[in-house]
Amino acid sequence: MAVTARAQEDRPQLGILMMLAAWFLFALVDTSAKWLVLAGYPAFQLAFMRYAGHFAISLVVTFRGGFDSERLRTDHLWQVLFRSSLLISATLGNFYALNFLPLTVISAIMFSSPIIVCFLSMTVLKEQIGPWRWGAILLGFAGVLVVIRPFGETFHPAMILPLYNATALALYSLMTRRLAGLVATETMQFYMGALGTAVLLPFAVWAWVMPPDLHGWILLIGLGVGGWTGHQLLTTAHLFGSANTLMPYTYSFMIYIAGLSWLVFDHLPDLWTVAGAAVIVVSGLIIWKREQR
């Protein structure tokens, strides 16, 4: 029989804790990916391992009571697959950008996604956007320009990738909110892992680099375990708290990334990156505050 979605509950504290834990796991995944990239592993291999591990765990969770094809049935299959493709493409773009950019720069740019969500709600969903949110959108994009500095010596063409990733994550966020309560978390997780594994497998085989030691295998496998667990927490969190309640806690990722980047790579963001990230966060919080009205 098909897996039914859990009903939404009003337990915002639990949802907040899940969001904080989810973004910490995502920070660990990105830090591990950066280490592997610097060690010479290609982005396709890392992205494949991220979703192959995800898929393996989803198989166990979905069919732990025995195989039943009905557990994969959903009336929203194409929306589930579209949601999955958004995250898969963003993951691949993120891992490739790690070849050229610091973690802090990538995270700052990618966290313009709440601003893009607001912009898309106007252009795609035809919602009315007032002057405060218009100002926040412009402020957020100004913050992105401060981080990227497109006409400065620090600009790298790879900075375009996090902009795409931010847009994909914005659409992914909209789809997650739409499907939460309609499709079971386990079902969404299964299709995400299956699609990512199938699409990335031939590219990973072509570019594969064999890990020389156990440490490399642990990090590669950890990409899938951390990714699956993080998205399980992220999706489930929306069942316990509203998007408006949970949204500000997504910025904990930037704190996690800055700390891990310093601990693992001895890298601290420069003043312009910090300033641009602060502007992006402020603009996102303005949008969040106005949406509560």
Side-chain angles (χ1 to χ4, degrees):
M1 112 182 151
V3 181
T4 56
R6 291 174 57 181
Q8 293 182 308
E9 303 177 36
D10 186 21
R11 299 174 65 186
Q13 293 85 357
L14 181 57
I16 290 167
L17 287 175
M18 286 184 170
M19 287 290 284
L20 292 172
W23 287 107
F24 180 68
L25 287 171
F26 294 147
L28 286 177
V29 167
D30 280 3
T31 303
S32 299
K34 178 69 173 179
W35 190 95
L36 290 164
V37 161
L38 294 177
Y41 294 87
F44 277 116
Q45 180 178 352
L46 302 187
F48 169 76
M49 289 299 294
R50 156 72 180 84
Y51 288 100
H54 186 120
F55 183 49
I57 298 172
S58 293
L59 278 174
V60 174
V61 172
T62 304
F63 300 116
R64 58 186 178 273
F67 181 81
D68 182 357
S69 61
E70 282 295 302
R71 295 178 67 84
L72 304 181
R73 187 173 59 81
T74 172
D75 295 330
H76 306 277
L77 179 60
W78 290 110
Q79 294 179 57
V80 170
L81 292 176
F82 177 62
R83 171 184 177 272
S84 300
S85 67
L86 289 168
L87 189 66
I88 292 164
S89 61
T91 300
L92 182 60
N94 182 46
F95 287 173
Y96 183 75
L98 288 172
N99 283 284
F100 311 102
L101 304 174
L103 285 167
T104 49
V105 170
I106 292 175
S107 64
I109 299 171
M110 287 180 63
F111 268 79
S112 61
S113 60
I115 303 157
I116 298 173
V117 168
C118 185
F119 181 75
L120 289 175
S121 69
M122 176 193 66
T123 56
V124 177
L125 303 180
K126 307 301 182 183
E127 293 182 0
Q128 293 296 319
I129 301 295
W132 273 97
R133 279 190 281 184
W134 258 118
I137 290 171
L138 295 176
L139 182 65
F141 285 117
V144 171
L145 290 177
V146 171
V147 175
I148 294 176
R149 284 160 276 172
F151 304 109
E153 294 180 359
T154 58
F155 176 77
H156 192 286
M159 288 180 174
I160 302 301
L161 275 174
L163 284 175
Y164 164 76
N165 297 344
T167 304
L169 287 175
L171 290 169
Y172 172 83
S173 176
L174 290 174
M175 294 302 298
T176 298
R177 296 177 195 177
R178 178 183 178 87
L179 294 171
L182 297 175
V183 181
T185 301
E186 291 82 1
T187 303
M188 289 193 280
Q189 291 276 52
F190 176 86
Y191 281 109
M192 183 182 297
L195 184 63
T197 302
V199 170
L200 295 168
L201 175 60
F203 300 100
V205 171
W206 171 67
W208 189 267
V209 172
M210 186 61 66
D213 52 33
L214 182 61
H215 182 246
W217 279 112
I218 290 173
L219 290 180
L220 283 171
I221 294 171
L223 297 177
V225 174
W228 181 91
T229 307
H231 282 284
Q232 186 79 5
L233 289 168
L234 184 69
T235 306
T236 306
H238 285 84
L239 297 176
F240 296 107
S242 68
N244 280 337
T245 299
L246 300 177
M247 181 269 177
Y249 298 93
T250 62
Y251 292 114
S252 62
F253 179 79
M254 298 172 106
I255 299 172
Y256 297 146
I257 278 292
L260 289 170
S261 186
W262 173 62
L263 288 172
V264 178
F265 305 110
D266 194 27
H267 177 269
L268 289 174
D270 62 25
L271 182 61
W272 286 107
T273 301
V274 172
V279 170
I280 292 169
V281 170
V282 168
S283 64
L285 292 177
I286 291 173
I287 291 171
W288 163 72
K289 190 67 176 177
R290 299 302 296 183
E291 287 179 348
Q292 287 188 311
R293 290 175 176 266

